[in-house]
Amino acid sequence: MKKRLLAMLLTGAMCLSLFAGCGTTEDTQPAEESAEATQQEAETQTAEETEIQVFIAASLSNVMEEVAAAYNEEHPEVNIVFNADSSGTLLTQIEEGYACDVFFSAAQKQMDTLENEDGLVVEGTRGNVVNNQLVVAVSNEAETDCTGIESLDAAESLAIADGSVPVGKYTRKALVSLGILGETDTPEEYTTDQLSEALGGIEISEQGNVSKVLSAIIENPGQVGTIYYSDTYGFEDQVNILEVVSYDLTGDIIYPVAQIVNEEADEAESAAAADFVEFIKSDVAKAIFDKYYFDTDVE
């Protein structure tokens, strides 16, 4: 009887010991998981406050919204704020001290100025992303005798960006290549009045960026304009392309991107800006640019 009682007591003690051991393991694991969750939550809360200022050429407005959305799928903590205008206007704003983390230009000239004259391009971040192409376009509702760049003088009127805007510069360069404007290394310096005179006195509506040229074409059915091929994405039912202008006349229309020195940015903002620049150069972004009629076969 005593032996049986002793055995029962020993068995009970072993069970209590095992139960206590199991209880310790169960109590420790949730504590560790809770600590990890708290740490992740803290990191997420900090990251969510990160915001980057991205200056983009007006012709990039639509495509960059989709590029940003793709980036935010992996990095929802980064708030991307766009400032879209002509590359010349954006250059001036950066030089005047506007807070900018990333600059995506429609031409090399503005980026060259920031890098070589102002020293504001972060070393090693600059890269060519896409090529574009100049087109002569008109509203789908319009009838015109103009058939392309060589017959702009046959249009009822023209909407063209000024020479400080890359699309305006490339338009003038094409006209120089055709001999309609006199030979020069600085076609962007041709004024609207000089352009009108070379085209037989045609009325010209000068615009501050390519998006405004597109709007002028759509809102004024008799008006022909020069925009980029990419600008026609989403407007196929409103805009008729009269000619896709050859690179032989304009040269390549390369869009470079780079991180910009921003002394006001903290470490998180600078890191996010550098990461976003690399994403813009990635194959994921390239597929989006292709969809929007950009040429991504660039060096």
Side-chain angles (χ1 to χ4, degrees), residues 19-154:
F19 178 79
C22 291
T24 301
T25 302
E26 290 175 356
D27 290 344
T28 302
Q29 188 172 352
E32 291 174 352
E33 290 178 351
S34 178
E36 290 177 1
T38 301
Q39 183 179 355
Q40 290 175 354
E41 183 178 352
E43 290 175 354
T44 299
Q45 288 176 348
T46 301
E48 282 177 350
E49 298 176 358
T50 301
E51 181 175 283
I52 59 175
Q53 306 296 321
V54 181
F55 285 31
I56 58 173
S59 53
L60 291 166
S61 297
N62 293 333
V63 66
M64 285 303 292
E65 290 292 341
E66 188 165 338
V67 170
Y71 180 77
N72 283 146
E73 288 180 7
E74 296 294 329
H75 301 278
E77 74 279 3
V78 179
N79 183 28
I80 300 170
V81 178
F82 288 120
N83 175 22
D85 211 320
S86 75
S87 299
T89 297
L90 297 175
L91 168 64
T92 299
Q93 291 175 349
I94 295 170
E95 291 179 323
E96 289 178 348
Y98 284 54
C100 173
D101 297 298
V102 176
F103 181 40
F104 198 173
S105 174
Q108 301 283 14
K109 178 181 178 181
Q110 289 77 17
M111 192 69 78
D112 287 342
T113 299
L114 284 178
E115 182 171 29
N116 302 326
E117 297 180 22
D118 302 325
L120 292 176
V121 171
V122 176
E123 186 177 356
T125 65
R126 179 175 176 173
N128 295 332
V129 182
V130 296
N131 204 346
N132 213 338
Q133 205 154 7
L134 188 73
V135 300
V136 179
V138 69
S139 166
N140 276 347
E141 300 176 5
E143 293 184 3
T144 180
D145 293 329
C146 177
T147 59
I149 194 73
E150 293 186 64
S151 60
L152 290 179
D153 57 351

Side-chain angles (χ1 to χ4, degrees), residues 272-285:
D275 192 54
F276 188 53
V277 167
E278 289 307 307
F279 182 78
I280 291 171
K281 302 174 188 175
S282 72
D283 289 340
V284 174

